[in-house]
């Protein structure tokens, strides 16, 4: 029924509606007897159909009305007007926890405070034999002073008894989906009358609840854990698209640890919530009072400023001595006490331990696809992470404090790459548009420092000197106030062994580490060595033969990569000597620009690094997205091309251990594969010539990646096709085999160039603007080139004449990447932002008429790359084996790992 303003239910006058759901309607009303505002819930007639049910409802409602507690919404009255049953409740002003969570997670202080209050309310109810059974954010109201639990009036009373072991038992309860009494039904939010909305309630149910087994107070404790998880992370602990998948998730899944989703949260909170979420009720906290005490303990502990993500050492309180005697050791050791705080707390503290967690990518952004990318770095004081992420079509810088869930985007950092921090943490330097720039780490305009046509991550000392490497030119220095760069370790592109890279200042600010190449083409294994140079001298000291860049880390370590893992080793800075054995810090680290260029960063006692990319599988899909076959085994795959005759596929497969790639050729009919190289060089991004006899690919055999060519099946036929100062990568060969379209990264921008494959072979830009243009593909008749450009602010697909790039037109209306042609020229394909494969119908001719794009299919996880057969009937796609997540990891208190075996 629907009540109008002014109507009466006994002494209560209806003022206005507040909401409606499957259980009935809620109204704001005026109590004419006591002159107060109340809330009235009018129950659905289907819930009060028989006298027996009404009598039970009244009896249990009266019992629950005795729950006088500051964090429980009080029931004032229960009544009946004609055939209408209603409850009279305390009127509350504020918002529900569900409404608040729609804006994101709560700060740690609020999560703990609200959790303590909810646990306290549940403890009160449980002591009186009442289990709520529908605890969820929609049933928690946030008022100005505290939180209040709602809808205890529809809870379930249970009998309290003890078994032979002394454990509290309850009488059997009904299955939540069976025919239930009014008091057994969970309340529902206003929007839960829509189809499928019952999932909103399922998300907070305990395993025994969804299975129809006996329920007791521990059922509420599971729901409390789910609510705590959502408050701390802003995410649902369990999810599913259907009731069946939701139930399966509740019964089998474990949510990611809170400390991985929200690094600033104390690991102790993880333990509290994980215990709440135990599948077996016997493994959970056995009372809400236990949960309350644990949360109070966390809230009352001081949290250090140097490492807010770490739980401090805990001293035993007398009031908890009996219960916490064993728990102290377990929590401090297993829950990872803070490194710095442990040292200060004295004899009562546990040994220092390291904490690992994932650093989330900023909301709405994706991890930068650029290969010349730092990815992420930690500030010198170890409190902030800078992240290069892709947002709105541009690679940008974001800064996130470890004790905050917010990531601040730095305006003016468009196309930023290879960033690094100032020693005081006030600025971040980066390269973009042919310039070395700096920008305040808190936000503000970027300032140009100097020209830098190409770059790799630099280093900055306290005297204001910046060192950076320009490809094929060695290491340069420039003032942080700007000026003309000066070479301090010049290189010669014709002599790769002279190229120095990856400078990193040592603490004295005068000497620096760097990698030098060795001219040892016939020697297998390492071709680099780690050296120490100086601003004051041309003399260098060799530390060790090493393939990886390194960073100095207090207290006296070098951090570097080896065989795909991250290590720390003692380092005598004064003598420039390594000491002792290396200690493993992580099992996986990514290389972001070929071998040796490990993606990690050191600051204070924090290390941030990227994990190795996930394995991908290559699958054949038809035009409806149905899988019709696979190719090879799961591997780290970047580029692949179907041969012109459709019988072979060239694939570059990366080696996680070294960061190098090799090109393989798969013969589809025979089902065999051949590796074209077996050396330690990096060869990738293969492109077939039109006759299928040769492959062009990118190689770092002589330093900066050049374009090489090899005749397939002819050993010793490899030769360079193009050697320039900048990085190039082959993209496509014209149908007549005369012209190569390649990508040239000039001044930190991607530009499309054309190279004649005969005659003088003089390359020239085809499209070089202030925007990024990528992925050129010749049309089957060679008259047009389809390509990707971010000139509109985000990547879109364009088509222009091969001759002079004239006649440009855009064919993607809402974003697109990686264009591909059908052999007859009547269809163009591309990837939409949501990962769908789109098809654009074409009418070849002088003007190339294009129709509206249509979606062919979309797969999950999203496609990373794809190619299409000549007739457009099948697509070869690569997708990660697992749903992608943030590859950025942090280790706080890492010296504990390095020192554990000393």
């Amino acid at each position: 029924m629907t009540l109008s303003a002014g109507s009466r239910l006994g002494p209560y006058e209806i003022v206005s509606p507040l909401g409606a759901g499957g259980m009935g309607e809620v109204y704001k009303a005026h109590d004419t007897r006591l002159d107060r505002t109340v809330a009235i819930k009018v129950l659905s007639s289907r819930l009060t159909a028989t006298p027996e049910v009404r009598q039970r409802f009244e009896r249990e409602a009266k019992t629950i009305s005795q729950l006088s507690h500051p964090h429980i919404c009080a029931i004032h009255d229960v009544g009946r007007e004609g055939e209408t049953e209603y409850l009279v409740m305390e009127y509350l002003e504020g918002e529900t926890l569900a409404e608040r969570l729609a804006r994101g997670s709560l700060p740690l202080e609020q999560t703990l405070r609200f959790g303590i209050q909810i646990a306290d309310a549940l403890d009160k109810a449980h002591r009186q034999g009442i289990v709520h059974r529908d605890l969820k954010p929609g049933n928690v109201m946030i008022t100005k002073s505290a939180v209040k639990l709602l809808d205890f009036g529809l809870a379930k009373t249970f009998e309290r008894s003890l078994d032979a072991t002394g454990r509290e038992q309850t009488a059997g309860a009904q299955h939540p989906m069976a025919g239930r009494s009014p008091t057994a039904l969970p309340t529902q939010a206003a929007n839960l009358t829509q189809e499928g909305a019952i999932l909103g309630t399922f998300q907070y149910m305990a395993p025994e609840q969804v299975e129809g087994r006996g329920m007791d107070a521990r059922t509420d404790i599971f729901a409390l854990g789910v609510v705590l998880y959502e408050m701390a992370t802003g995410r649902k602990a369990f999810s599913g698209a259907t009731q069946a998948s939701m139930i399966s998730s509740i019964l089998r899944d474990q949510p990611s640890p809170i400390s991985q989703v929200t690094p600033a949260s104390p690991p102790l909170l993880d333990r509290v919530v994980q215990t709440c979420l135990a599948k077996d009720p016997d493994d959970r906290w056995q009372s809400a009072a236990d949960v309350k005490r644990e949360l109070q303990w966390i809230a009352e502990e001081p949290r250090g400023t140097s490492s807010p993500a770490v739980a401090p050492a805990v001293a035993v309180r007398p009031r908890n001595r009996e219960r916490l005697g064993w728990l102290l050791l377990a929590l401090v050791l297993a829950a990872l006490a803070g490194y710095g705080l442990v040292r200060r707390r004295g004899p009562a503290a546990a040994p220092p331990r390291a904490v690992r967690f994932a650093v989330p990518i900023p909301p709405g952004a994706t991890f930068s696809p650029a290969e010349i990318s730092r990815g992420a770095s930690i500030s010198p004081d170890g409190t902030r992470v800078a992240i290069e992420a892709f947002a709105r079509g541009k690679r940008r810088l974001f800064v996130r404090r470890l004790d905050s869930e917010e990531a601040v985007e730095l305006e003016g950092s468009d196309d930023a790459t290879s960033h690094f921090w100032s020693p005081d943490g006030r600025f971040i330097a980066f390269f973009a548009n042919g310039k070395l720039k700096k920008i305040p780490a808190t936000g503000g305009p970027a300032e140009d420092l100097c020209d830098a046509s190409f770059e790799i991550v630099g280093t900055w000392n306290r005297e204001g000197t910046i060192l950076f490497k320009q490809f094929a030119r060695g290491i340069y220095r420039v003032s942080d106030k700007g000026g003309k760069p000066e070479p301090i370790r010049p290189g010669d592109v014709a002599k790769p062994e002279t190229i120095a890279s990856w400078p990193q200042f040592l603490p004295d600010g005068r000497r620096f580490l760097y990698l030098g190449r060795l001219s040892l083409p016939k020697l297998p294994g390492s071709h680099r060595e780690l050296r120490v140079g100086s601003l004051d001298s041309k003399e260098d000291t060799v530390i060790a033969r090493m393939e990886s860049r390194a960073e100095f880390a207090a207290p006296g370590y070098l951090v570097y990569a080896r065989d795909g893992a991250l290590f720390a080793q003692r380092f005598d800075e004064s003598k420039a000597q390594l000491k002792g054995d290396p200690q493993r810090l992580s099992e996986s680290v990514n290389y972001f620009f070929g071998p040796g260029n490990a993606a990690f960063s050191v600051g204070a006692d924090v290390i941030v690094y990227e994990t190795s990319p996930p394995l991908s599988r290559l699958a054949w899909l038809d035009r409806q997205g149905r899988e019709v076959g696979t190719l090879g085994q799961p591997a780290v795959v970047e580029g692949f091309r179907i041969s012109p005759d459709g019988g072979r596929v060239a694939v570059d497969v990366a080696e996680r251990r070294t960061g190098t790639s090799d090109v393989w050729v798969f013969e589809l009919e025979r089902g065999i594969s051949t590796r074209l190289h077996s050396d330690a060089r990096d060869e990738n991004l293969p492109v077939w010539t039109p006759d299928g006899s040769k492959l062009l690919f990118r190689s770092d055999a002589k330093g900066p990646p050049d374009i090489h060519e090899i005749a397939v099946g002819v050993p010793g036929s490899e030769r360079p096709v193009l050697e320039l100062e900048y990085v190039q990568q082959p993209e496509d060969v014209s149908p007549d085999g005369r012209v190569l379209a390649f990508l040239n990264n000039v001044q930190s921008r991607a530009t499309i160039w054309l190279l004649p494959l005969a005659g003088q072979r003089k390359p020239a830009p085809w499209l070089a603007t202030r925007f990024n243009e990528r992925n050129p593909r010749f049309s089957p008749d060679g008259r047009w080139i389809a390509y990707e450009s971010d000139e509109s602010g985000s990547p879109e697909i364009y088509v222009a004449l091969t001759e002079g790039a004239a006649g440009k037109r855009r064919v993607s209306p809402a974003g697109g990447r990686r264009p591909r042609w059908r052999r007859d020229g009547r269809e163009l394909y591309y990837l939409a932002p949501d990962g769908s494969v789109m098809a654009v119908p074409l009418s070849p001719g002088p003007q190339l008429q294009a129709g509206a794009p249509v979606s062919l299919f979309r797969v999950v996880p999203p496609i990373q790359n794809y190619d299409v057969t000549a007739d457009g009937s099948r697509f070869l796609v690569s997708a990660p084996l697992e749903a992608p997540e943030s590859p950025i990891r942090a280790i706080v208190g890492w010296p504990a790992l390095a020192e554990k075996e000393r």
Side-chain angles (χ1 to χ4, degrees):
M1 63 179 295
T2 300
L3 302 178
S4 58
S7 57
R8 299 282 289 261
L9 291 175
Y12 305 104
E13 180 178 327
I14 301 299
V15 175
S16 61
L18 292 176
M23 304 302 105
E25 298 143 346
V26 182
Y27 297 88
K28 181 179 180 181
H30 178 65
D31 185 345
T32 58
R33 294 177 303 181
L34 300 178
D35 192 25
R36 62 180 177 179
T37 299
V38 295
I40 291 184
K41 172 170 280 190
V42 178
L43 300 182
S44 171
S45 60
R46 66 182 173 84
L47 301 181
T48 57
T50 65
E52 293 80 10
V53 168
R54 289 198 296 269
Q55 291 174 6
R56 182 178 178 183
F57 163 70
E58 291 178 0
R59 182 174 63 253
E60 294 187 359
K62 289 177 182 177
T63 300
I64 298 168
S65 68
Q66 305 304 310
L67 283 176
S68 177
H69 191 276
H71 302 306
I72 296 177
C73 178
I75 296 179
H76 297 318
D77 196 3
V78 58
R80 186 181 184 202
E81 185 74 17
E83 296 301 316
T84 303
E85 302 281 352
Y86 62 89
L87 291 170
V88 182
M89 302 173 291
E90 178 184 5
Y91 178 75
L92 301 173
E93 293 188 21
E95 65 177 349
T96 66
L97 180 57
E99 292 169 332
R100 168 58 185 85
L101 287 172
R103 303 194 299 272
S105 60
L106 274 61
L108 176 62
E109 183 274 331
Q110 285 187 356
T111 296
L112 295 174
R113 176 158 52 89
F114 292 173
I116 291 167
Q117 293 171 358
I118 295 171
D120 194 31
L122 289 175
D123 181 52
K124 174 72 172 181
H126 295 164
R127 290 176 184 275
Q128 297 197 24
I130 300 169
V131 58
H132 191 289
R133 301 206 326 158
D134 194 32
L135 176 61
K136 60 185 180 183
N139 284 339
V140 179
M141 178 68 75
I142 304 174
T143 69
K144 291 183 178 179
S145 59
V147 298
K148 294 260 189 175
L149 264 64
L150 308 179
D151 287 320
F152 260 106
L154 295 179
K156 170 73 176 177
T157 57
F158 62 92
E159 299 177 9
R160 299 160 57 90
S161 62
L162 300 179
D163 63 10
T165 66
R167 182 178 299 281
E168 186 174 89
Q169 298 293 301
T170 64
Q174 289 180 298
H175 190 285
M177 297 305 295
R180 292 171 284 186
S181 70
T183 53
L185 284 165
T187 59
Q188 299 193 32
N191 64 347
L192 294 187
T193 58
Q194 302 173 6
E195 182 178 359
I198 195 168
L199 292 178
T201 295
F202 265 115
Q203 286 175 324
Y204 305 91
M205 287 185 179
E208 65 270 19
Q209 198 170 3
V210 299
E211 289 186 326
R213 296 185 280 114
M215 290 176 281
D216 57 20
R218 296 170 298 177
T219 303
D220 282 349
I221 290 173
F222 184 92
L224 175 57
V226 179
V227 172
L228 285 169
Y229 186 91
E230 191 169 349
M231 286 195 292
T233 66
R235 301 181 183 179
K236 297 288 195 297
F238 305 100
S239 60
T242 65
Q243 293 184 18
S245 60
M246 177 68 71
I247 290 172
S248 176
S249 179
I250 292 171
L251 294 178
R252 295 176 176 83
D253 295 346
Q254 292 292 340
S256 300
I258 293 174
S259 57
Q260 288 186 10
V261 181
T262 308
S265 67
L268 290 174
L269 182 59
D270 263 335
R271 183 180 184 278
V272 173
V273 173
Q274 288 169 1
T275 305
C276 288
L277 297 180
K279 306 301 182 185
D280 188 337
D282 289 345
D283 294 332
R284 295 176 203 151
W285 302 108
Q286 296 300 293
S287 74
D290 289 338
V291 181
K292 173 187 171 183
R293 282 191 291 268
E294 296 297 328
L295 295 175
Q296 286 176 327
W297 184 11
I298 298 172
E300 292 169 8
E301 280 299 323
R303 280 178 291 278
T305 58
S306 64
S307 182
V310 183
V314 181
V316 179
R317 298 182 177 86
R319 58 185 173 89
N320 287 329
R321 189 178 303 276
E322 296 80 10
R323 184 172 66 88
L324 299 180
W326 65 269
L327 191 59
L328 174 63
L329 180 61
L331 287 182
V332 175
L333 295 180
L336 311 177
Y339 176 76
L341 290 176
V342 167
R343 289 190 168 187
R344 291 193 289 270
R345 292 291 291 266
R353 306 293 294 214
V355 178
R356 303 175 186 268
F357 53 87
V359 180
I361 302 300
T366 57
F367 206 52
S368 173
E371 51 189 18
I372 315 296
S373 172
R374 180 72 180 260
S377 67
I378 188 71
S379 62
D381 62 1
T383 64
R384 293 164 293 168
V385 179
I387 300 171
E388 291 177 23
F390 211 72
R392 301 185 306 283
K394 296 284 188 180
R395 191 171 60 253
R396 294 178 164 91
L397 283 173
F398 296 79
V399 175
R400 180 184 183 277
R401 292 191 61 87
L402 288 182
D403 59 355
S404 171
E405 298 176 5
E406 301 296 326
V408 178
E409 180 180 342
L410 301 187
E411 295 294 338
S413 64
D414 286 3
D415 296 320
T417 187
S418 302
H419 70 275
F420 53 100
W421 290 81
S422 66
D424 58 8
R426 295 175 55 218
F427 293 90
I428 299 175
F430 64 93
F431 300 87
N433 303 318
K435 303 286 184 181
L436 171 62
K437 305 184 178 188
K438 70 175 181 181
I439 191 170
T442 55
E447 177 184 345
D448 292 352
L449 297 181
C450 67
D451 292 332
S453 57
F454 201 84
E455 69 292 318
I456 279 182
V457 176
T459 184
W460 194 335
N461 72 7
R462 295 189 178 278
E463 297 175 359
T465 296
I466 292 175
L467 301 182
F468 65 97
K469 186 261 180 92
Q470 296 207 67
F471 239 84
R473 296 185 184 179
I475 298 174
Y476 281 64
R477 67 184 291 175
V478 70
S479 168
D480 62 8
K481 302 297 190 295
K484 183 178 180 180
E486 300 175 353
I488 62 168
R489 291 296 184 277
D492 184 349
V493 68
K495 299 177 180 179
E497 67 273 14
T498 67
I499 305 300
S501 61
W502 290 108
Q504 289 290 311
F505 274 117
L506 289 170
D508 61 18
R510 305 303 296 175
R511 295 178 302 152
F512 55 91
L513 304 165
Y514 76 92
L515 270 184
R517 288 177 62 111
L518 299 173
S519 181
L520 300 171
K522 296 183 180 181
L523 180 66
S526 175
H527 289 74
R528 294 176 175 87
E529 60 187 13
L530 186 65
R531 305 168 184 167
V532 173
S534 173
L535 297 178
D536 306 316
S537 170
K538 299 296 183 182
E539 299 298 322
D540 294 338
T541 301
V542 175
I543 297 176
R545 184 75 61 82
M546 186 179 294
E547 280 294 298
S548 170
R549 57 178 289 262
E551 290 188 26
F552 178 85
Y557 285 91
L558 286 188
V559 177
Y560 58 89
R562 189 181 71 189
D563 294 333
L566 199 63
F567 290 85
Q569 187 172 356
R570 278 287 179 182
F571 179 65
D572 186 330
E573 180 195 352
S574 62
K575 297 180 180 179
Q577 292 179 352
L578 288 168
K579 301 171 61 178
D581 297 322
Q583 301 298 324
R584 190 185 302 266
L585 302 180
S586 81
E587 297 294 333
S588 169
V589 65
N590 192 28
Y591 299 95
F592 60 85
F593 188 51
N597 304 327
F600 69 88
S601 170
V602 181
D605 64 344
V606 182
I607 288 178
V608 167
Y609 65 98
E610 293 175 44
T611 57
S612 298
L615 297 179
S616 298
R617 64 191 297 265
L618 290 175
W620 291 100
L621 308 180
D622 64 16
R623 288 178 68 90
Q624 288 73 46
R626 296 185 295 251
E627 185 170 315
V628 294
T630 59
L631 181 67
Q633 299 297 317
V636 179
V637 175
E638 182 177 357
F640 53 91
R641 290 291 182 88
I642 303 172
S643 65
D645 62 5
R648 294 167 294 172
V649 179
V651 184
D652 75 61
V653 179
E655 169 60 60
R656 284 179 165 180
R657 186 178 60 84
T658 62
T660 60
S661 293
D662 286 312
V663 176
W664 292 69
V665 173
F666 290 78
E667 297 184 45
L668 302 183
E669 185 174 345
R670 296 202 299 159
I672 64 173
S673 59
T674 304
R675 187 176 192 165
L676 298 188
H677 301 86
S678 59
D679 52 35
R681 300 168 184 171
D682 194 35
E683 296 104 0
N684 55 13
L685 303 175
V687 174
W688 292 95
T689 56
D691 61 4
S693 65
K694 298 177 181 178
L695 280 170
L696 293 96
F697 56 92
R698 194 174 69 177
S699 172
D700 70 346
K702 290 191 175 182
D706 301 315
I707 297 176
H708 285 217
E709 173 188 88
I710 189 170
V712 179
V714 182
S717 62
E718 180 180 343
R719 67 185 183 92
V721 171
L722 182 65
E723 297 176 328
L724 296 177
E725 179 178 342
Y726 311 114
V727 172
Q728 317 102 48
Q729 64 188 53
E731 292 287 346
D732 201 21
V733 180
S734 61
D736 59 10
R738 296 180 178 181
V739 179
L740 168 69
F742 68 95
L743 205 64
N744 199 357
N745 284 295
V746 179
Q747 297 183 338
S748 307
R749 290 197 310 273
T751 58
I752 299 172
W753 288 50
L754 300 180
L755 172 71
L757 293 177
Q760 295 183 353
R761 296 195 175 196
K762 184 177 181 180
W766 177 76
L767 192 63
T769 70
R770 60 190 180 94
F771 306 107
N772 288 288
E773 282 89 20
R774 304 175 182 273
N775 291 305
R777 294 294 184 274
F778 288 100
S779 64
D781 61 8
R783 296 185 66 245
W784 303 87
I785 293 179
Y787 64 97
E788 169 191 327
S789 174
D790 61 7
E791 67 175 64
S792 67
S794 61
E796 298 283 359
I797 303 301
Y798 297 81
V799 177
L801 287 168
T802 302
E803 186 66 34
K808 181 183 74 174
R809 63 172 303 173
R810 177 172 152 184
V811 297
S812 62
R817 302 188 65 227
R818 299 185 183 275
R820 305 285 188 267
W821 297 84
R822 197 167 76 186
R823 178 72 61 83
D824 61 8
R826 294 187 175 275
E827 217 167 28
L828 181 70
Y829 311 99
Y830 65 88
L831 290 181
D834 67 353
S836 298
V837 173
M838 309 294 291
V840 181
L842 301 174
S843 298
Q847 301 302 320
L848 193 69
Q849 299 298 318
V854 296
S855 175
L856 297 183
F857 59 85
R858 178 173 177 264
V859 297
V860 177
I863 294 171
Q864 298 170 318
N865 198 357
Y866 77 107
D867 201 5
V868 60
T869 56
D871 61 0
S873 64
R874 292 193 304 159
F875 295 80
L876 183 61
V877 306
S878 67
L881 290 179
E882 300 178 354
E885 61 171 347
S886 172
I888 305 173
R889 299 289 186 270
I891 309 175
V892 178
W894 65 268
L897 300 175
E899 296 176 1
K900 64 181 179 180
E901 296 183 9
R902 291 186 61 211

